[in-house]
């Protein structure tokens, strides 16, 4: 073989080997870095751009796609210990001409974390209102979506700032009393009795605990490699002290039933989506909301747990779009009447 041709193959092989070796090294040695790259790539692929907004000395981090148009903008509030990128699985199935905004909740990811901040549910709702005003999202009423803790905040927001929103989607929201204890609530009671409250199931610190949390939150059994579990834990460990403080704040008497206490003030059309096999927050909460909110549309998803956004992203996106289309149709009929 000609020496030049041989050199060309060696160079080409070396060029290909470098990214492959880098990937393998990242997977084995720094799985948390691989997870961050994964989210960065997914945001770019879906056209989501990351921006920052400041309210006095407080900084909000958010991602967005599209611009405000004739259809309502959509603001999405994630759950406890998550971040704005948890919505990417749903964003994938939403039209690109919709104006979407996903914000990091107070103290999470790129949004300011301060020991002096009020992390109660009403305190978080106030912060989200400041964010909305910062980016002038409330120039026209928008559709608000929240899941779990974010659902609790979204419901309280709808009650406290009714002029800002036109409709509401609550996905397995916290903040409701339940006649049936979920597996998670039972676990918490057992931990309290054994005085091991530091071992909160939603705050894993080992790959094994992360696997247990995924089983608790999902009906679908995802096969997650050990290295990825380690990466997920590595990303969370630096924040676990904050998560413990936040958790104790939102289960405190002040916040535990915030959504329930504000249900009567929610006057906008409301959609409730819940996984029937939710082991974190019992699905009976859906009927509590349906009986208290006049214009409430409830959807119970079979073979689905608490992580509705991850387990059933296409279905959830379609339900939100169908709900918005129904409201648009009703508005048009009223105008023509």
């Amino acid at each position: 073989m000609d020496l030049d041709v041989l050199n060309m193959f060696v160079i080409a092989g070396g060029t290909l080997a470098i990214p492959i070796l880098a990937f393998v090294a990242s997977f084995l040695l720094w799985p948390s870095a691989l997870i961050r790259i994964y989210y960065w790539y997914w945001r770019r692929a879906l056209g989501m751009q990351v921006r920052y907004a400041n309210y006095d000395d407080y900084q909000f981090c958010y991602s967005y796609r599209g611009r405000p148009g004739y259809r309502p903008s959509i603001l999405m509030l994630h759950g406890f210990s998550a971040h704005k990128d948890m919505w990417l699985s749903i964003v994938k199935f939403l039209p690109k001409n919709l104006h979407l905004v996903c914000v990091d909740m107070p103290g999470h990811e790129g949004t300011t974390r301060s020991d002096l901040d009020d992390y109660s549910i009403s305190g978080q709702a106030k912060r989200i209102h400041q964010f909305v005003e910062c980016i002038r999202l409330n120039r026209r009423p928008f559709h608000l979506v929240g899941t779990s803790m974010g659902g609790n905040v979204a419901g309280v927001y709808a009650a406290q700032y009714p002029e800002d929103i036109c409709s509401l989607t609550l996905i397995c929201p916290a903040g409701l009393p339940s006649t049936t204890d979920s597996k998670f609530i039972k676990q918490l009671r057992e931990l309290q009795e054994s005085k091991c409250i530091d071992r909160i199931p939603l705050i894993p610190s080992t790959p094994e605990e992360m696997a247990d949390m995924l089983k608790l939150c999902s009906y679908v059994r995802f096969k997650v490699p050990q290295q990825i579990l380690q990466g997920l834990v590595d990303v969370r460990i630096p924040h676990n002290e904050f998560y413990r403080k936040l958790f104790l704040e939102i289960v405190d008497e002040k916040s535990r039933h915030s959504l329930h206490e504000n249900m009567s003030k929610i006057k906008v059309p409301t959609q409730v989506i819940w996984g029937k096999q939710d082991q974190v927050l019992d699905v009976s909460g859906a009927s509590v909301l349906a009986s208290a909110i006049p214009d409430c549309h409830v959807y119970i998803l079979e073979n689905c747990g608490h992580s509705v956004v991850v387990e059933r992203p296409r279905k959830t996106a379609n339900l939100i779009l169908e709900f918005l289309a129904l409201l648009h149709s009703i508005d048009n009929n009223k105008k023509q009447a």
Side-chain angles (χ1 to χ4, degrees):
M1 183 182 289
D2 187 88
L3 188 60
D4 290 338
V5 175
L6 181 62
N7 285 338
M8 182 182 69
F9 276 111
V10 169
I11 292 169
T15 303
L16 289 172
I18 289 171
I20 293 171
L21 288 173
F23 175 84
V24 172
S26 296
F27 183 75
L28 295 176
L29 302 176
W30 306 288
S32 60
L34 197 62
I35 289 168
R36 291 190 177 95
I37 292 170
Y38 167 77
Y39 281 124
W40 171 83
Y41 175 79
W42 204 5
R43 282 198 305 268
R44 285 183 62 86
L46 294 175
M48 297 292 287
Q49 300 183 55
V50 175
R51 292 290 184 272
Y52 295 88
N54 293 293
Y55 184 91
D56 294 333
D57 59 348
Y58 195 89
Q59 178 180 266
F60 296 95
C61 180
Y62 67 101
S63 60
Y64 78 96
R65 187 175 76 183
R67 295 182 178 181
Y70 71 94
R71 290 192 287 186
S73 299
I74 300 178
L75 173 61
M76 299 180 170
L77 308 182
H78 64 74
F80 172 77
S81 77
H83 48 76
K84 60 187 175 296
D85 292 333
M86 71 158 286
W87 295 108
L88 292 175
S89 55
I90 284 184
V91 169
K92 178 182 178 181
F93 298 107
L94 294 174
K96 290 188 176 181
N97 60 351
L98 267 181
H99 181 222
L100 308 175
V101 179
C102 307
V103 63
D104 285 327
M105 297 294 283
H108 290 73
E109 198 75 3
T111 292
T112 296
R113 178 179 300 172
S114 169
D115 291 336
L116 301 177
D117 215 9
D118 178 6
Y119 290 106
S120 67
I121 296 301
S122 60
Q124 291 192 61
K126 183 178 179 181
R127 279 296 188 195
I128 295 302
H129 181 60
Q130 291 170 352
F131 167 70
V132 164
E133 291 191 318
C134 275
I135 66 169
R136 301 180 66 190
L137 189 64
N138 55 353
R139 283 180 293 180
R140 291 181 56 205
F142 59 88
H143 180 71
L144 182 59
V145 181
T147 184
S148 196
M149 179 193 77
N152 195 353
V153 175
V156 172
Y157 189 103
Q160 293 183 351
Y161 307 101
E163 67 282 354
D164 281 4
I165 68 172
C166 58
S167 47
L168 178 68
T169 294
L170 302 176
I171 304 173
C172 304
L176 298 169
S178 176
T179 55
T180 305
D181 284 346
S182 66
K183 181 178 179 179
F184 173 62
I185 297 300
K186 291 176 181 177
Q187 288 179 345
L188 282 183
R189 289 217 173 96
E190 290 171 3
L191 290 172
Q192 284 177 329
E193 290 170 4
S194 61
K195 297 182 180 179
C196 296
I197 194 62
D198 283 346
R199 295 177 56 194
I200 299 168
L202 296 180
I203 308 177
S205 55
T206 66
E208 292 72 26
E209 290 177 358
M210 173 59 72
D212 289 340
M213 188 189 82
L214 294 178
K215 289 177 184 177
L216 177 67
C217 293
S218 304
Y219 174 79
V220 177
R221 292 292 175 255
F222 299 103
K223 293 182 179 179
V224 184
Q226 184 74 8
Q227 284 300 118
I228 297 298
L229 290 172
Q230 184 65 61
L232 292 171
V233 170
D234 290 346
V235 168
R236 295 172 64 99
I237 282 178
H239 309 288
N240 276 356
E241 184 179 350
F242 165 72
Y243 293 152
R244 288 189 186 93
K245 291 180 180 178
L246 174 62
F247 183 81
L248 294 176
E249 183 74 44
I250 62 178
V251 298
D252 184 70
E253 201 68 35
K254 182 180 178 182
S255 295
R256 189 181 307 162
H257 297 146
S258 291
L259 178 55
H260 186 255
E261 292 161 2
N262 284 273
M263 286 190 307
S264 61
K265 299 177 186 175
I266 298 176
K267 304 300 182 184
V268 296
T270 300
Q271 177 186 51
V272 175
I273 304 173
W274 216 303
K276 188 172 183 180
Q277 286 76 27
D278 191 338
Q279 298 182 97
V280 178
L281 299 170
D282 192 76
V283 68
S284 59
S287 59
V288 174
L289 290 166
S291 62
I293 301 174
D295 193 2
C296 189
H297 305 248
V298 175
Y299 303 89
I300 306 298
L301 303 185
E302 294 282 351
N303 302 322
C304 184
H306 186 67
S307 301
V308 171
V309 174
V310 176
E311 295 180 75
R312 304 290 291 280
R314 185 193 296 268
K315 180 64 175 179
T316 304
N318 287 339
L319 286 174
I320 292 172
L321 292 174
E322 289 167 8
F323 181 58
L324 292 175
L326 173 65
L327 298 181
H328 181 69
S329 174
I330 292 172
D331 283 344
N332 283 341
N333 290 338
K334 285 181 179 177
K335 290 176 183 176
Q336 292 173 5

